[in-house]
Amino acid sequence: MPTTFEIHPSIGISRVGASEHFFLGPEPDVTAPARYRDGSGRLLRQGARFRVFECERDGSGRLVSASEVGPARGEVEWTVHLANRKAEGELSPPPPSRRIQEGRRNAGHTDRGELVIDPGSLSLRGLGQVGRFDSGRFLGVTVPLGEVRTDEEGRLLIVGGFGRSDGPRKDCETRRHR
């Protein structure tokens, strides 16, 4: 039986909110929060937790056994790359109000790189580490995308940003006229 090391879940979803606090997304052993807002009424962010398992599978690929790899069994280095490419991406299908734009969002914008929020990748190793994706830019304005952490067992937590939605061009225009 071949042994492999697998990350679970294979994909995770984190959601934005305005609160500094967060909760872990759906997992079999995690209870949902009693409230989804903090004491000030701000929406809690949802984090996604990733774990490494040592898995044994039979010849047909069926899982025979699995055990989580914790700090006593080995050290894991996590590398995470978050990016928001929506403003640069393709329209599929274009909304009725934008039928004149064929194919791409913001088709008239020539510097496509300005439309991608990409602060690069972060690597964490060890317990209780924190990194922030806070250097990405959209049309020249810094936009934080969230943060990564390792917990007391070395698991990876990804927590979305603060869900602030702005129009940078309007903001830049306002600053220019002050």
Side-chain angles (χ1 to χ4, degrees), residues 154-166:
R155 300 170 182 136
L156 177 69
L157 306 174
I158 299 178
V159 183
F162 292 102
R164 206 174 132 231
S165 179
D166 280 337

Side-chain angles (χ1 to χ4, degrees), residues 89-175:
E90 293 188 24
L91 293 168
S92 56
S97 62
R98 294 193 177 146
R99 295 260 184 239
I100 25 177
Q101 280 187 1
E102 289 298 319
R104 302 200 71 77
R105 294 176 186 271
N106 302 302
H109 197 83
T110 54
D111 185 351
R112 305 301 291 169
E114 283 189 328
L115 301 173
V116 177
I117 306 166
D118 187 349
S121 63
L122 290 173
S123 294
L124 301 177
R125 174 185 284 205
L127 313 178
Q129 301 297 303
V130 177
R132 289 183 173 70
F133 291 99
D134 57 3
S135 63
R137 300 177 66 76
F138 179 77
L139 297 175
V141 176
T142 301
V143 180
L145 292 181
E147 61 190 57
V148 292
R149 302 171 178 221
T150 54
D151 68 11
E152 67 283 348
E153 294 294 321
R155 300 170 182 136
L156 177 69
L157 306 174
I158 299 178
V159 183
F162 292 102
R164 206 174 132 231
S165 179
D166 280 337
R169 288 186 183 268
K170 180 180 176 185
D171 186 45
C172 291
E173 184 105 358
T174 303
R175 273 191 258 134

Side-chain angles (χ1 to χ4, degrees), residues 31-96:
T31 306
R35 295 183 47 191
Y36 288 92
R37 295 195 178 268
D38 66 16
S40 300
R42 293 178 300 221
L43 189 63
L44 297 175
R45 297 176 295 153
Q46 177 181 323
R49 178 167 56 182
F50 298 86
R51 307 174 193 200
V52 175
F53 288 87
E54 183 176 2
C55 300
E56 286 189 44
R57 297 183 179 276
D58 65 17
S60 66
R62 188 179 62 82
L63 184 65
V64 175
S65 68
S67 58
E68 187 172 357
V69 176
R73 293 187 57 203
E75 185 175 74
V76 175
E77 180 175 342
W78 298 96
T79 299
V80 179
H81 190 148
L82 296 182
N84 182 331
R85 300 180 179 283
K86 184 175 180 181
E88 191 273 336
E90 293 188 24
L91 293 168
S92 56

